Amino acid sequence: MKITFLGATRTVTGSKYLISTDTKKILVDCGLFQGYKELRLRNWNKLPFDAQKIDAVILTHAHIDHSGYLPLLVKNGFKGKIYCTPGTRDLCAILLPDSGHIQEEDANRANRYNYSKHKPALPLYTRDEAITALDQFSPIDFNEPYQLFKNITISFSPAGHIIGSSVVRLEYQNKSIVFSGDLGRPHHLVMKSPAIVSSTDYLVIESTYGDRLHDRSNPLDQIADVVQHTAANGGSVIIPAFAVGRSQDILYCLYQLKKAKRIPDIPIFLDSPMAENVSDLLIKHLNEHTLTREQCKETCQTAQYIKTPDESKAIDQIKTPSIIISASGMVEGGRILHHLKVFLPDHHNTILLTGYQDPGTRGDRLMRGESEIKIHGEMIPVRARIVAMSNMSAHADYEEIIGWLKNFKQKPKKTFITHGDQDSTLSLKNKIEQTLGWKCEIPEYLQSEVL
Ligand SMILES: [Zn+2]
């Protein structure tokens, strides 16, 4: 068996690994590149294989940097099945059409305002093309080994990162390879801990936080502080957050803070056409997180859901303090851009960044204190207070990754470190080599290795 690294090499996006055997070609994850323009341009590159010749796709989880290329793969002729957990299937049914929709909107806007070099600017794929790709999904329950083809078995175990997220194990003849996907944390606000894995011949491990430790403080205290301070100043709190996972974590915090009367009773808006559907999934997949059915309901009822673009514009006109949660989390697209155009120039407001900010994204620029940022071709002054939280992550930090690896009873023959920037991958490599004495490698883009 051979592995080829087609993404997430020295970067956190574009996860795509090709497993080839004598007779089969299987893609593990099929994500979009995001962040820097050079990376995003890779989404337009011709793949080094024929999409029609791929026999199956396996998804670790639904985040777009792991699943967002699928509609394009299908458009290019992939006819096989897409295997994942039921939760991942449910989330992809929301996220992929939304991804197509965002790309159509971006292309339309670029054409309208004439700020793209491409005439006309085109979407990578449309909402309809994303919906077509959903027909090929084939969900498999957690911990149920499944014979994919003769000699090839796969299984999914919970990764504790978002609903449906999994650690994928693939066995071919007598060899095994485990993909960590995005690894969750032992003490997350909402998600259960990642499942223990105790052996594999080869391991592909993520390293988003390979060089960092999360702040161990309680996110509730920090959110309470930001909301109280901003509301007292007459400002609003704008939270760029991914509609899946992070938005529900924030709502859970706000629900608890409101219940304990630790924050004023100001309106909370969850502005995303898909967030309401995602919240329903918390109830559908109760066994993957720590909330009760009742807590799920109350968490979801904490916010008013904003569906249409007109409603979204209307909440920007409210003159009294409010909290607006809207995607995307790294401020790269979506409705958050419109809100920031309104709220960034006013020093009474606070922008609360709650997740990883990929270098080059607007979220990263805000975090670094840039005095103006470009939105829709227009420079917007940054006068609002910018607060970055580092305690809400859904990714294990390096101590938590090493803790998870310590469950292994034998050293893997080789551990490939992916899904992290240059510094994090290198740092995690050193830590694993020093702490566990394992043989590690940081693969390059398009590198192949015989296993
Ligand atoms: Zn993820």
Side-chain angles (χ1 to χ4, degrees):
M1 141 168 93
K2 190 174 83 174
I3 183 167
T4 307
F5 296 88
L6 300 170
T9 48
R10 296 177 197 258
T11 172
V12 295
T13 64
S15 280
K16 242 182 254 99
Y17 309 107
L18 179 66
I19 295 283
S20 320
T21 68
D22 291 345
T23 55
K24 300 290 175 198
K25 282 189 171 18
I26 299 159
L27 210 50
V28 178
D29 279 347
C30 191
L32 277 188
F33 287 102
Q34 296 166 312
Y36 280 123
K37 197 171 181 184
E38 306 92 271
L39 276 176
R40 283 185 280 123
L41 287 175
R42 278 190 193 169
N43 293 323
W44 295 91
N45 289 356
K46 200 173 161 350
L47 286 175
F49 56 78
D50 183 351
Q52 295 180 36
K53 301 231 163 87
I54 297 292
D55 296 286
V57 175
I58 305 167
L59 288 188
T60 60
H61 67 293
H63 277 151
I64 289 299
D65 58 324
H66 294 256
S67 73
Y69 196 91
L70 276 171
L72 203 52
L73 193 76
V74 170
K75 190 175 164 177
N76 290 336
F78 168 64
K79 296 272 187 292
K81 283 188 176 167
I82 300 159
Y83 297 93
C84 62
T85 63
T88 297
R89 160 70 179 77
D90 289 348
L91 277 177
C92 280
I94 301 168
L95 287 178
L96 292 179
D98 181 69
S99 170
H101 175 68
I102 289 173
Q103 289 173 57
E104 284 183 81
E105 280 198 330
D106 286 350
N108 288 341
R109 199 176 299 109
N111 290 329
R112 208 169 337 136
Y113 297 105
N114 208 21
Y115 59 74
S116 169
K117 278 193 241 90
H118 305 278
K119 310 268 182 285
L122 294 172
L124 268 177
Y125 53 85
T126 63
R127 184 185 154 83
D128 285 350
E129 285 164 340
I131 291 171
T132 304
L134 297 174
D135 290 343
Q136 283 162 254
F137 275 70
S138 181
I140 293 173
D141 284 332
F142 280 119
N143 305 317
E144 303 268 343
Y146 177 81
Q147 183 156 8
L148 194 59
F149 301 111
K150 189 169 178 272
N151 293 331
I152 303 179
T153 307
I154 54 168
S155 61
F156 298 88
S157 47
H161 170 65
I162 54 165
I163 295 291
S165 66
S166 59
V167 174
V168 168
R169 182 184 193 87
L170 184 147
E171 294 185 7
Y172 171 62
Q173 294 175 337
N174 52 1
K175 281 184 187 148
S176 55
I177 180 164
V178 164
F179 296 84
S180 73
D182 286 0
L183 195 65
R185 309 180 59 189
H187 308 288
H188 185 260
L189 271 172
V190 170
M191 293 302 295
K192 285 187 182 168
S193 307
I196 287 174
V197 174
S198 54
S199 71
T200 181
D201 294 318
Y202 298 92
L203 174 66
V204 178
I205 181 98
E206 71 128 323
S207 59
T208 314
Y209 289 95
D211 59 345
R212 274 162 296 172
L213 293 177
H214 298 310
D215 180 357
R216 301 288 194 242
S217 66
N218 188 341
L220 284 175
D221 296 337
Q222 201 176 4
I223 294 177
D225 189 58
V226 164
V227 174
Q228 281 161 8
H229 174 96
T230 310
N233 277 338
S236 290
V237 180
I238 313 302
I239 312 181
F242 203 53
V244 175
R246 183 53 44 82
S247 289
Q248 289 74 38
D249 296 348
I250 294 163
L251 277 189
Y252 180 60
C253 289
L254 292 171
Y255 147 69
Q256 290 195 52
L257 292 172
K258 266 204 170 175
K259 202 166 127 186
K261 300 202 178 347
R262 291 180 62 192
I263 54 172
D265 192 18
I266 58 177
I268 299 171
F269 301 104
L270 188 50
D271 180 15
S272 161
M274 59 180 169
E276 197 167 21
N277 305 340
V278 176
S279 299
D280 290 343
L281 290 187
L282 276 179
I283 295 179
K284 190 170 170 196
H285 299 279
L286 275 177
N287 54 344
E288 293 188 43
H289 56 77
T290 56
L291 308 191
T292 62
R293 184 179 292 271
E294 208 45 47
Q295 283 173 319
C296 291
K297 279 190 187 152
E298 288 179 19
T299 294
C300 298
Q301 285 162 3
T302 302
Q304 299 174 44
Y305 292 85
I306 302 298
K307 284 184 186 157
T308 67
D310 284 344
E311 288 172 340
S312 177
K313 281 177 197 139
I315 55 175
D316 287 343
Q317 302 312 316
I318 299 172
K319 299 293 176 222
T320 50
S322 65
I323 300 171
I324 300 175
I325 308 166
S326 186
S328 76
M330 298 192 214
V331 200
E332 282 304 87
R335 292 180 180 176
I336 192 68
L337 295 179
H338 297 279
H339 297 305
L340 287 185
K341 274 167 130 174
V342 175
F343 289 94
L344 265 179
D346 184 343
H347 70 274
H348 294 95
N349 303 318
T350 303
I351 315 303
L352 186 62
L353 300 167
T354 60
Y356 180 81
Q357 303 299 326
D358 206 9
T361 58
R362 289 192 193 85
D364 176 60
R365 291 177 202 275
L366 287 174
M367 208 166 73
R368 291 178 190 285
E370 291 195 8
S371 60
E372 51 178 15
I373 59 167
K374 199 174 192 178
I375 300 179
H376 301 149
E378 192 186 331
M379 294 311 291
I380 307 292
V382 180
R383 297 194 195 95
R385 185 163 75 119
I386 309 295
V387 177
M389 298 178 74
S390 68
N391 47 9
M392 286 203 82
S393 180
H395 287 268
D397 63 21
Y398 73 76
E399 249 179 35
E400 293 164 340
I401 293 174
I402 298 281
W404 186 73
L405 296 179
K406 282 184 175 166
N407 293 313
F408 281 72
K409 302 255 191 305
Q410 297 126 15
K411 296 176 189 180
K413 289 190 183 110
K414 197 183 253 187
T415 297
F416 298 99
I417 302 172
T418 61
H419 202 288
D421 64 23
Q422 184 82 13
D423 293 344
S424 349
T425 42
L426 197 60
S427 173
L428 188 65
K429 179 176 187 279
N430 292 337
K431 287 186 177 79
I432 296 177
E433 285 171 348
Q434 283 158 18
T435 320
L436 304 167
W438 294 8
K439 190 175 165 200
C440 297
E441 183 166 338
I442 299 173
E444 298 294 339
Y445 181 49
L446 302 179
Q447 180 181 326
S448 286
E449 180 116 355
V450 175
L451 307 177

